[in-house]
Amino acid sequence: MKFISLTIDGKKVRVPEGMNLVEAAKRAGIEIPTLCYSKELPVVSSCRMCVVEIDGFNKPVTACSTTATEGMAVHTESPLVVSIRKTLLRLYLDNHPSDCLTCSSNGKCKLQDYAYRYDVKFREHDGARRGSEEAGFTDSSSPYILRDESKCILCGKCVRTCAVVPDRNILQFGNRGFETKIIADYDTAMEKSGCVSCNRCVVECPVGALVDRRSYREGRTWERTVKEVKCKSCDYGCNMNLIMNRGKVVAVEAGSPQNGRPLCLRGRLLTELEYVDVPHKPYKKFYNDDEGNEFVEVKWSQALNLDNVYEKMERLDEGENE
């Protein structure tokens, strides 16, 4: 592997050839703010938060889409860069409800972190809002995912995450311009859509627009500890996070992406059944083209697709007792 050398905020760093500036900066211990970027997803440079200045360039560029080159001198916190980020943050906050104290993402929200970092505050205004001024779940039809469109910043991470698996593509951008929003299928509720409730979109959401319903209100961010485990549902062994509060496992959430593998609801529920003392009731989506899809509360054997196996085990156990 060929390495190149560059300077970031005065620090010299050697990185593999072809690496983008966001990842290169991490090698130097520097975090460049990002809202739409994920190492595991296609780069779109939509949020513009990662702009940097580079010696010899005539304008700031996005670090996520700019490849590090030999001898490059990058400035991630120049006065111009900071001014751009503050302007962007003000625009984001102008379309965002100010319910941080009660938001489930309080303490793990990137928008909150960057507003604190650059001292940008909410402001009152009479201008148009893309979403509602008041926070509130706009779609609670799914027993696994809660949506609050008032908090969506249109980073598109959920859309790209859903598109990793070609036969899913449930989440998309709907409408145009100021009316743009994230929709499921043809702007239907999550229950009625083809969503398989893998909850990978929830993991990627940088704000509180998507919430894991089964871990909702199971402790604040700073009260929780997270332990990563491997799902035992199949040989892929997808990453799962055990959410612990006061030493007790209270929920299971999707873990970090792994080689583009999608999660499955069966795997999440199996992990939840294994580790959570008192898990929430399981639900299974039944697909019906005529009447629409519907979530139905089922037994754990049904949720894990073990009906026949469970019945056979019962028959065998009864036979052994005869």
Side-chain angles (χ1 to χ4, degrees):
M1 180 183 294
K2 183 179 179 181
F3 282 76
I4 56 101
S5 298
L6 70 156
T7 302
I8 304 177
D9 290 346
K11 296 183 179 180
K12 291 187 177 180
V13 58
R14 293 184 75 245
V15 300
E17 186 178 37
M19 178 174 283
N20 68 32
L21 291 179
V22 171
E23 298 300 326
K26 291 179 183 178
R27 297 288 184 101
I30 298 170
E31 183 209 350
I32 297 177
T34 62
L35 289 171
C36 71
Y37 172 75
S38 172
K39 187 178 180 180
E40 305 295 330
L41 299 175
V43 173
V44 294
S45 305
S46 62
C47 74
R48 318 307 290 181
M49 282 296 296
C50 69
V51 292
V52 296
E53 284 196 283
I54 302 174
D55 288 355
F57 284 48
N58 61 2
K59 62 180 180 179
V61 296
T62 49
C64 64
S65 61
T66 302
T67 303
T69 59
E70 182 68 38
M72 181 180 278
V74 183
H75 307 281
T76 71
E77 294 286 334
S78 67
L80 176 58
V81 166
V82 171
S83 175
I84 292 173
R85 288 182 186 154
K86 283 187 173 183
T87 299
L88 290 170
L89 286 169
R90 288 190 188 98
L91 292 173
Y92 281 123
L93 293 182
D94 282 347
N95 279 288
H96 204 81
S98 56
D99 72 321
C100 296
L101 291 177
T102 55
C103 178
S104 62
S105 292
N106 186 16
K108 62 176 182 178
C109 171
K110 280 194 169 186
L111 185 60
Q112 184 186 61
D113 289 345
Y114 298 151
Y116 177 83
R117 177 171 169 177
Y118 294 104
D119 194 25
V120 178
K121 302 176 177 63
F122 287 102
R123 58 183 178 181
E124 294 183 4
H125 66 89
D126 296 325
R129 287 180 177 271
R130 191 183 56 79
S132 170
E133 185 175 357
E134 300 293 330
F137 293 121
T138 52
D139 185 352
S140 57
S141 62
S142 167
Y144 299 106
I145 300 174
L146 293 167
R147 294 183 64 195
D148 184 352
E149 293 181 50
S150 69
K151 295 178 182 175
C152 179
I153 60 173
L154 297 177
C155 67
K157 291 178 75 175
C158 59
V159 174
R160 283 173 285 145
T161 300
C162 199
V164 167
V165 186
D167 60 351
R168 291 189 183 175
N169 280 311
I170 303 301
L171 299 178
Q172 302 287 344
F173 285 101
N175 301 334
R176 293 186 178 185
F178 196 67
E179 301 301 323
T180 301
K181 65 177 183 177
I182 303 298
I183 61 173
D185 285 338
Y186 298 101
D187 202 4
T188 62
M190 295 296 285
E191 178 181 39
K192 299 300 181 182
S193 73
C195 174
V196 298
S197 304
C198 73
N199 279 40
R200 181 72 82 201
C201 59
V202 178
V203 176
E204 291 292 349
C205 182
V207 289
L210 293 169
V211 177
D212 190 310
R213 188 165 189 166
R214 292 173 84 80
S215 65
Y216 179 57
R217 292 199 173 277
E218 292 288 358
R220 307 306 297 269
T221 303
W222 50 88
E223 297 174 326
R224 298 175 168 192
T225 55
V226 178
K227 180 181 179 181
E228 188 173 275
V229 297
K230 296 289 185 180
C231 176
K232 301 175 184 176
S233 177
C234 68
D235 292 338
Y236 284 107
C238 293
N239 297 327
M240 298 287 181
N241 287 332
L242 303 184
I243 309 302
M244 306 176 71
N245 189 355
R246 299 178 183 177
K248 181 184 294 186
V249 180
V250 295
V252 171
E253 293 182 349
S256 57
Q258 183 177 348
N259 302 322
R261 279 291 307 163
L263 288 178
C264 65
L265 178 58
R266 181 181 184 274
R268 288 180 56 241
L269 290 176
L270 180 64
T271 308
E272 187 175 313
L273 183 62
E274 179 181 3
Y275 290 100
V276 180
D277 289 341
V278 185
H280 294 281
K281 297 176 181 179
Y283 291 80
K284 188 173 183 178
K285 182 179 284 189
F286 290 87
Y287 297 87
N288 190 314
D289 293 335
D290 297 327
E291 299 179 9
N293 306 327
E294 182 182 13
F295 276 110
V296 177
E297 183 183 329
V298 294
K299 296 180 179 179
W300 279 99
S301 58
Q302 289 178 281
L304 300 177
N305 297 323
L306 296 174
D307 303 51
N308 296 334
V309 175
Y310 184 73
E311 291 175 3
K312 186 174 182 179
M313 289 171 61
E314 283 190 324
R315 290 199 304 271
L316 290 173
D317 288 341
E318 291 173 358
E320 292 175 355
N321 294 330
E322 291 177 355

